[in-house]
Amino acid sequence: MTALVTHLQNIARLVVKELRSLRADPIMLVLVFYTFSFTVYTVATGVKLEARDLTIGIVDEDHSEFSRALRDAFGPPLFKVSRPIAANEIDAEMDAGRLVFVLEIPPQFQADLLAGRPTSLQLNVDATAMTQAGNGSVYIQQIIAQEIANRQAGRETTSALPINLVVRAQFNPNLESGWFSSVMQILNSVTLLTIILTGAALIREREQGTVEHLLVMPVTPVEIMLAKMTANALVILVAAVASLVLVVEWLLGVPVAGSLLLFVMGTAIYAFSVAALGILLGTLATTMGQFGLLAIPVFVVTQLLSGATTPMESMPVWLQWIMQIFSPTPHFVAFSQGVLYRGAGLGIVWPEIGKIAIIGAAYFAFALARFRKVIFS
């Protein structure tokens, strides 16, 4: 019992040392503040996945009442620009990027439609704007189908469909992409900065030679490593919770459905796991430059294949297994989405927490072996 108390006291003193070292690095503190405040806000408000303010040109070769009604159907807020153009202007307008969509209405379109003869419309899409192209094409098809159904039914406000389809969007009623991107940005920042802070703390001491001072002190490798992980993970945890409450909930008005305490617990376990990864990378690199070059690809792959950007189900099965076995990030994303979006309790998300803890323990064991070999050999 006395030995355990001594270990805890040593870890506590070393944690204070790490926090003082971080306080003496204003650039790192500014980075933490900027990442969890301005970055979260600007990504949530500036990166919109839904279709808004699209530009569309109409090549009307029919000049009928219905073609004019169809042209008037493309208005705000989905479409910022809806204007008639000539057929020979299509390439020039799309090459210059002034129009994302061009709809071509052929001659005799209304007559063929009313007579029941086969007819067609052509929609040209600038697919370099991938998100707008995909979402906007769906909206345009729906608008055209609705206008045709209204015209055939002889009414302007009712559909000829024999059913009444009612759509309920759960957890995000208005389908606001900012609700999704703001929380995902916090999760990405937790991963990135935990790796950077813990790895940089080790590399900084190795470059400055202060790590040798620890070698002559009555502390063990486990205590030193736990102190670095705990101090930096604690800073990230406080910053993440503050960002969630002040930026996401208060400034952006995004509701948090689940328990904040449960999210803090899961984030603490995840930060411990990622901090172990940061220590591991710090033992593989010898300079800060090498560490940065090593950490960037690790973070990019981890973030892109975590399910925070694209669904895990869209990946090959073998890649899903690799990510879920070797990376705690997909489990943290699933945990956070369950708690923050759907209000899931511990009884639902405990498997994800368990997987994060197991992977983190494996990282810790491997990192400790490397830490002893590189620092104390």
Side-chain angles (χ1 to χ4, degrees), residues 18-339:
E18 293 295 331
L19 292 176
R20 287 176 176 173
S21 177
L22 183 60
R23 185 185 62 182
D25 190 348
I27 300 299
M28 196 67 74
L29 293 177
V30 170
L31 174 63
V32 173
F33 175 77
Y34 170 80
T35 304
F36 282 102
S37 57
F38 291 100
T39 302
V40 174
Y41 181 81
T42 53
V43 167
T45 56
V47 181
K48 294 292 185 180
L49 301 179
E50 61 267 20
R52 287 290 187 276
D53 296 331
L54 303 177
T55 57
I56 183 171
I58 310 293
V59 179
D60 187 0
E61 297 180 338
D62 187 25
H63 301 289
S64 64
E65 178 190 355
F66 180 57
S67 66
R68 288 190 294 272
L70 191 60
R71 183 182 65 194
D72 294 339
F74 299 104
L78 293 181
F79 296 92
K80 177 177 63 176
V81 175
S82 173
R83 57 186 175 87
I85 64 172
N88 58 4
E89 297 177 330
I90 295 177
D91 290 339
E93 292 292 322
M94 297 193 73
D95 289 346
R98 288 187 289 268
L99 295 175
V100 178
F101 303 95
V102 174
L103 179 65
E104 298 184 60
I105 305 175
Q108 303 299 316
F109 175 72
Q110 177 175 296
D112 292 340
L113 185 65
L114 294 177
R117 293 189 294 267
T119 185
S120 62
L121 295 170
Q122 178 170 312
L123 180 64
N124 302 284
V125 182
D126 180 3
T128 56
M130 188 176 63
T131 301
Q132 286 187 331
N135 296 338
S137 298
V138 174
Y139 286 126
I140 292 173
Q141 294 177 54
Q142 292 175 347
I143 291 172
I144 294 174
Q146 184 66 46
E147 288 296 319
I148 293 176
N150 292 342
R151 180 68 55 169
Q152 290 177 337
R155 302 185 294 273
E156 297 299 329
T157 58
T158 59
S159 172
L161 293 176
I163 62 172
N164 180 26
L165 177 63
V166 179
V167 179
R168 291 183 59 198
Q170 295 279 38
F171 314 118
N172 189 353
N174 297 323
L175 302 179
E176 292 284 346
S177 61
W179 287 25
F180 173 82
S181 57
S182 59
V183 175
M184 292 302 102
Q185 184 61 31
I186 291 179
L187 306 189
N188 294 337
S189 299
V190 169
T191 304
L192 174 63
L193 289 184
T194 304
I195 293 176
I196 289 179
L197 289 185
T198 52
L202 177 59
I203 294 295
R204 183 170 53 245
E205 292 208 27
R206 294 179 65 183
E207 288 184 335
Q208 296 175 353
T210 55
V211 70
E212 282 79 7
H213 299 169
L214 299 176
L215 302 182
V216 298
M217 295 177 63
V219 292
T220 64
V222 176
E223 294 171 352
I224 298 174
M225 184 171 160
L226 279 176
K228 292 185 179 298
M229 293 170 56
T230 302
N232 292 285
L234 180 62
V235 171
I236 297 301
L237 182 62
V238 172
V241 174
S243 178
L244 181 64
V245 174
L246 299 178
V247 180
V248 175
E249 278 196 288
W250 180 70
L251 189 58
L252 296 174
V254 179
V256 174
S259 169
L260 183 61
L261 181 61
L262 179 59
F263 175 72
V264 170
M265 182 186 71
T267 305
I269 298 174
Y270 175 73
F272 176 87
S273 303
V274 181
L277 177 60
I279 293 292
L280 176 61
L281 297 179
T283 61
L284 297 175
T286 57
T287 64
M288 197 69 77
Q290 290 181 357
F291 172 73
L293 293 176
L294 186 61
I296 289 174
V298 171
F299 166 74
V300 170
V301 172
T302 300
Q303 187 266 334
L304 290 178
L305 301 180
S306 65
T309 304
T310 57
M312 290 288 294
E313 293 77 13
S314 64
M315 305 176 194
V317 176
W318 62 269
L319 186 57
Q320 295 182 38
W321 279 101
I322 289 178
M323 291 303 299
Q324 292 176 347
I325 291 174
F326 294 101
S327 175
T329 309
H331 306 292
F332 179 58
V333 170
F335 158 80
S336 300
Q337 290 178 346
V339 173

Side-chain angles (χ1 to χ4, degrees), residues 351-371:
E352 304 300 336
I353 296 178
K355 294 171 185 176
I356 295 173
I358 292 173
I359 297 174
Y363 279 172
F364 180 82
F366 190 25
L368 180 59
R370 285 284 309 168
F371 188 75

